[in-house]
Structures are given as structure tokens and as C-alpha cells.
Amino acid sequence: MFFTRTQRYHFPIPKEDFRTRLIGKHVKIHDLDFEVYERGQTLKIIPHAELVDDLKTLPITDVELSADGNATNVVITSKMRKLDMGGPQLILLFCGFLLLASLILLMVGRERLFTYTLLGICTLVFTVFWVRMEMGYFDYVRKIRDYVKNGKELAV
């Protein structure tokens, strides 16, 4: 949906070397531990959020590796945990209803002040929501992608 991000990379190292570089490692991002483990042909990067009391939206990342001679093609797909999907979907639904109501009122041509107020509230709520997502969820996605891409330990 809106919160799934996919990146593709080509690395000049063999698939097995790339896989062993990641498996079993722990990544710390914003004082939250992410574990890398293998499930079938893909690597999964899962957050350990059992002890987190804060409301956080966290990604689950799949890393698919395919050999290309002595090189490796990597597809990194990050998606939101199903547990965390409710809040963002509810906010998007609320913004959608506000936008639809303001557009219908704009077409009808009545109460311009009420129409623009609804449109302003919709814009404000969506902007605050998106900024918070960029600082939280999408920041985790970027840092996990950088970890897989660069192989450096992140302690941010």
C-alpha cells in the first residue's frame, strides 16, 4: 500500500558472502534492536519491540538475494507491521473523508468558509501525520536500507 518501500541493488560480492555478512546480526536504530534471520530464501529484519512502551510504527524488512555470477542482486522490501497498520489507515481514511466532503461542498457552492475550513483541517492533519511518519517509520526504513546497503553497524 502507501507504506511499502522496495529498493533494488547490485553488489559485486558473491551471494553467500553477502548472506553470511547479515545473518544473525543485530542492528540498533534509535535504541531499538532489530534482528536479522533467515526464513526460506529470504532474510528478514524484525524489530524487537516487546519492551517498548511508546507508540511506534515499525517496519518488517525482507531482503531477497539472487546470485548473478560472482555478484548479488538484492531486493529490499520494507512493509509496516500488521499490528501497526490501524492508526495510519484510520488517519488516511479521516483525511479522505474530509477531502471528499470539502470537494463536494466546493462543487455545490455553499458555505465557502466551511468548505475551506474542512480543506484546511484535512491539509493540516495530513501534513502533521506525514511529517511524523517521515521522522519515525520511514526513518527506520531508511536506516535499515543503509545497513543492508553499506553493511555498517548503525547506532543512531
Side-chain angles (χ1 to χ4, degrees), residues 122-141:
C122 174
T123 305
L124 178 71
V125 168
F126 185 77
T127 302
V128 168
F129 165 72
W130 199 257
V131 166
R132 296 276 307 189
M133 289 295 287
E134 284 292 333
M135 290 178 6
Y137 173 76
F138 291 120
D139 189 43
Y140 284 114
V141 169

Side-chain angles (χ1 to χ4, degrees), residues 17 26 30 50 55 57 62 75 78 84 116-117 122 135 139:
D17 291 343
H26 286 265
H30 298 297
E50 296 87 19
L55 180 63
T57 304
D62 295 332
V75 178
S78 296
D84 298 333
Y116 294 139
T117 303
C122 174
M135 290 178 6
D139 189 43

Side-chain angles (χ1 to χ4, degrees), residues 9-14 18 21 70-74 148-150:
Y9 298 105
H10 183 79
F11 293 98
I13 60 175
F18 191 83
R21 184 179 79 174
N70 280 339
T72 306
N73 291 322
V74 178
V148 172
K149 188 176 172 185
N150 300 327

Side-chain angles (χ1 to χ4, degrees), residues 9-23 38-43 63-75 148:
Y9 298 105
H10 183 79
F11 293 98
I13 60 175
K15 176 182 174 181
E16 286 304 313
D17 291 343
F18 191 83
R19 189 177 70 72
T20 56
R21 184 179 79 174
L22 292 176
I23 288 182
E38 187 173 20
R39 180 182 281 174
Q41 295 292 346
T42 63
L43 301 177
V63 181
E64 297 176 16
L65 307 173
S66 62
D68 186 21
N70 280 339
T72 306
N73 291 322
V74 178
V75 178
V148 172

